[in-house]
Every structure is written in C-alpha cells, then in structure tokens.
C-alpha cells in the first residue's frame, strides 16, 4: 500500500518525506517479500532528488537525519574526518568567528609547510585570515590532508577544536538512505522474535559463529558502521576510530548481524576495554551502542534508530548480550542511568527502563528494585498502563545490572575509574622522571622489548604504581601472569586482555583497595 502510494505521488512535505524514508528503510531491513524489498530499495535510491524538491526552506528541517540530499552538521572526531576525506565526501569545515579560528590554530600550525612558518608566526594575518587565505572557501581539504598519517598530537588538537563539519550527503552511498552491506540472500520476515521467559538463560548460552573479519570484508563492515553513526550526527568512540585488526561479526539469526568494533590502540582506555557495535538486519544498520568490559563485568546499552523501534529490538539486544558474553566471558552487564532516563528525556518518553527490565536487568539499589516490583505488578493488573514520568525518573537514579551468576569476582564499582585517575594524578605529582610501572610488574627485560609490552606499560603502568608494594609481595606466578595481562593490553587485539584480566582477582582486589583507601 505504501509503495503504491509513493508511485502515485512523491511525498512533498518534509515530515512526510522523513516518515516515508523510515518506512522504506524498515521494509529493506525486515522485508515481507524480496520483491517489496527490491522496490523499497529503488525508492530509497531516489531520495536525493526527492529531498531537493522540498526547497531550501524545508530541507534544513531534515538536518542530521542522514537522509540523502540533506546535510549533517557535527563536531566529528579527527578519525572520522579523515575517513570522510578518504571517501571523497562533500564536507566543509565551519570557521564562523575568531574564537573558532583560534581553536583551530594548533591544527593549522600542523598543516602549514616549513616555508610558511615565518609568515604564520609573524601575526601579519590573524589565524582566521590565514585559514581563509590558505584554505580558500573550504579549509577542510587543507586541514585534513589525504596523505596525513596518524598523529596523536594532531588528532587531539583537531578534536579539542570541536569545529563543526558540514557533510552534504547528496547522493552519497554512505547516507542513511543508501548505506547497506550487500547480502547475497535477504531473509524475508513474517514475524518478529520475542524475548523468552528466561532471558538470563538466553544471554548465558554461547553464540556460535562469531568470527574476526579481515581485509576487504572488515573494511566493508567498518565503513558501514562508521557511516551509520556519522550521517546521523552520533558518536561512539571505537566505532568512529576503530581498530581494523579487531572487527568481529556475529550472526544473530533471521538475517540480523552484529558488528563489534575494537577501539584503535591509540584511543584505548587504561583499565577498561572499549568496543562499539552496530546492529544490522539484511545489511541495513538498525541500531548501535558500546560495550566496555571491566574485570568480570561490562557496561553497555542499546540505541535503536527511530525507523526500527517497532521491530524485535529487545530480542536483538539480548542476542547482542549473548555475543558480548561469548566474546569476553563476562558474567555481569551494567546499564548506566542515562540509558533509561537520567538527563535523557527521549529515554523517559519511551519508557526505556522497562526495555531493560524485560531482559532481566535489576537496579543495584534495593529500594528501587521494590519500586520496580510494585510498578510491574500494577501493569500486570491494568493492561496498557504506563509508569509516570516521575516514577521513571526515580528509577533512573541508579545502575541496572543483569547478573548471569557464576561470578569470578565481586562487582568492581565504575566510579573507581575516576578515583583511581585522581590517585594517579596525585602520585605522579610527587614523582620525578622515571619508570611508570613498578619493577615487580616486569618479570624480564626480554618481554619489555616487545612493542605490546611497551604499549601495555603506557596504559597500565601509572595504575600499577599505586599497587607497587602489593605486587612485590605476590608469588612469582602471579607477577608473571600480570606481565601477560600487560602485554595483552598492548596487543593488536584487546580481547585477550579482557579474557586474561578476568582471571586476576589479586589485581582487581588491589585496585579496589587503592580506590577505597583514604587519600
């Protein structure tokens, strides 16, 4: 019926264009037949021209939707800016005023040639004038050159500048309208899968068939994942700056797939591991999020793109948790309050708390568990009843946890990461030059010469200083095991670090004590 209506009359109002776009995307991701999917794809490929017919006043109302023919404006990170440049996308950088130009000064300084340094430093032109004269109307190609190698200082300068990039999507294959991973045999859907009565049992069951992608296949899924977020002005660090050597693909069944992306080694966290993910159905990106394994737990959350919120979202997230459990071996999943309503009106309006509750997540606070129990009972007695915003806001004042049982160690409070960072800063302030990790954590010089050990020491060393005295008292076997953890942290894939560190209770107990100790 929708397809026939489109054939009869192309939508000419912005709101109708967006609604039609969402319906067509849904039909491509969850098609009732292959013929309908093919026709829906054909219509999506025409959206560039349809958006142009709306005129200059209406098109801005579709900004940041990712629809072909519109624009997306966002302060995208350096890694994503380089990706857009390499993919020859139409991107402009905004230098709207003097403050914006001043913020870009470190980036411009890194981009000038040696012959220009005297002119740049002379002050004859201010930074804004230099950028305009050197970069022309659009300094983006100059500030983000094609041949630029990864440079941590330049990346930090660009990200700190926070200059908005304007991506004119036009007919780009990376727009939300056209961004798809090709599938050989699309799966036709007659019904949606539901979460079983025992969601914990489902999540705890290993998910078979997860594989690490390589070469062109890894690039294909990585590009589709990055574009899915960038076109909609959204960001998850590992997805926007992924490690090409750590891209995993999990089959979620019925044509659905999960792409898990490890963070590039240069943007890894010190103690947590950091992964992004994008869910696909029949090659269409339908949702995204992140997962950060830490000890025997992982922080995560689900975000479905608006077009797909009427699908099997809960089941697919349960399947995603299965994949994370299989990849990392963790026995707890944590969802922070923002995901279900704290300072998040969209999550409150959607009742996101009950999305996680249905999957077995429960509040870490006893009083909130009792409140949720009462609300659940009322909803069972009164069909169609919805919790009030006041109740949902109260429920969103503490973390939710899905505990799969068989835990290898107690919950490691996430606020310890902040406390430990403060302790490291205080500790470093009292030190002069010297090694950043205790000698006790270095079983042999031979291992130190490995690049992975050096990188692991860069990330973990400052934290290990806090527990140097304890490490010196460990048995040699435990110190050797710690060395393996350090090497895994700096390895090409971070997954091994997650798996090894889970089995080092001495390490986590020592860090827990360091975090709880009085300053």
């Amino acid at each position: 019926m929708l397809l026939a209506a489109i054939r009869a009359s192309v939508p000419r109002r912005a709101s109708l264009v967006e609604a039609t776009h969402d319906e067509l995307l849904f039909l491509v991701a969850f098609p009732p037949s292959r013929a309908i999917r093919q026709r829906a794809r054909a219509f999506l490929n025409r959206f560039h021209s349809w958006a142009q017919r709306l005129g200059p006043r209406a098109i801005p109302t579709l900004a940041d939707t990712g629809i072909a023919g519109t624009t997306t404006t966002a302060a995208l990170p350096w890694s994503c800016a380089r990706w857009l440049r390499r993919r020859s996308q139409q991107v402009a950088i905004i230098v709207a005023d003097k403050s914006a130009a001043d913020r870009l000064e470190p980036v411009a300084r890194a981009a000038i040639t040696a012959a220009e340094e005297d002119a740049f430093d002379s002050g004859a032109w201010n930074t804004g004038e230099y950028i305009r004269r050197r970069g022309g109307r659009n300094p983006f190609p100059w500030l983000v050159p094609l041949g630029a190698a990864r440079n941590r200082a330049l990346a930090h300068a660009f990200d700190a500048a926070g200059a908005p990039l304007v991506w004119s999507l036009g007919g780009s294959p990376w727009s939300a309208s056209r961004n798809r991973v090709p599938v050989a045999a699309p799966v036709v859907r007659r019904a949606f899968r539901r979460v079983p009565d025992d969601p914990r049992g489902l999540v705890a069951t290993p998910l078979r068939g997860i594989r690490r992608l390589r070469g062109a296949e890894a690039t294909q899924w990585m590009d589709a994942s990055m574009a899915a977020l960038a076109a909609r002005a959204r960001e998850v660090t590992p997805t926007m700056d992924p490690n090409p050597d750590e891209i995993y693909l999990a089959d979620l069944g019925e044509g659905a797939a999960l792409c898990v992306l490890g963070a590039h080694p240069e943007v890894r966290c010190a103690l947590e591991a950091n992964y992004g993910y994008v869910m696909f159905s029949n090659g269409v990106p339908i949702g995204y999020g992140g997962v950060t394994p830490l000890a025997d737990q992982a922080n995560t959350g689900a975000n479905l793109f608006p077009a797909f919120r009427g699908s099997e979202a809960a089941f697919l997230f349960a399947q995603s948790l299965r994949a994370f459990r299989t990849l990392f071996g963790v026995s707890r999943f944590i969802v922070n309050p923002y995901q279900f309503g704290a300072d998040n009106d969209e999550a409150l309006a959607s009742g996101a708390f009950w999305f996680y509750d249905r999957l077995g997540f429960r509040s870490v606070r006893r009083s909130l568990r009792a409140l949720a129990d009462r609300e659940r009972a009322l909803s069972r007695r009164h069909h169609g009843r919805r919790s009030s915003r006041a109740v949902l806001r109260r429920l969103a004042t503490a973390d939710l946890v899905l505990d799969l049982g068989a835990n290898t160690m107690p919950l490691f409070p996430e606020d310890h990461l902040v406390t430990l960072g403060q302790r490291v800063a205080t500790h470093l302030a009292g030190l002069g030059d010297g090694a950043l990790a205790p000698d006790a954590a270095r079983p042999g010089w031979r291992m130190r010469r490995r690049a992975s050990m050096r990188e692991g020491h860069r990330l973990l060393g400052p934290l290990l200083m806090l527990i140097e005295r304890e490490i010196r008292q460990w048995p040699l076997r435990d110190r050797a095991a710690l060395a393996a953890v350090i090497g895994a942290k700096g390895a090409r894939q971070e997954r091994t670090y997650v798996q090894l560190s889970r089995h080092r209770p001495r390490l986590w107990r020592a860090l827990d004590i360091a975090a709880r100790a009085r300053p």
Side-chain angles (χ1 to χ4, degrees), residues 294-297 330-332 403 405-413 498-512:
L294 173 71
D296 197 29
Q297 64 208 46
V330 295
S331 61
R332 292 188 191 88
D403 197 325
N407 308 113
T408 61
M409 64 186 75
L411 185 72
F412 190 85
V498 176
Q499 294 171 329
L500 289 178
S501 65
R502 279 185 57 241
H503 300 290
R504 303 273 67 83
R506 280 184 183 271
L507 171 64
W508 297 106
R509 278 199 300 269
L511 290 171
D512 180 69

Side-chain angles (χ1 to χ4, degrees), residues 237 241 243 245-246 262-275 452 455-456 458-459 487-495 497:
T237 296
D241 197 358
N243 177 6
D245 291 323
E246 195 169 19
H264 192 280
E266 290 187 4
V267 295
R268 282 179 183 168
C269 301
L271 201 55
E272 290 179 300
N274 197 5
Y275 292 81
S452 61
E455 182 63 12
R458 181 183 73 82
L459 292 165
K489 183 65 176 179
R492 294 177 72 177
Q493 290 93 37
E494 200 173 8
R495 181 187 174 195
Y497 162 77

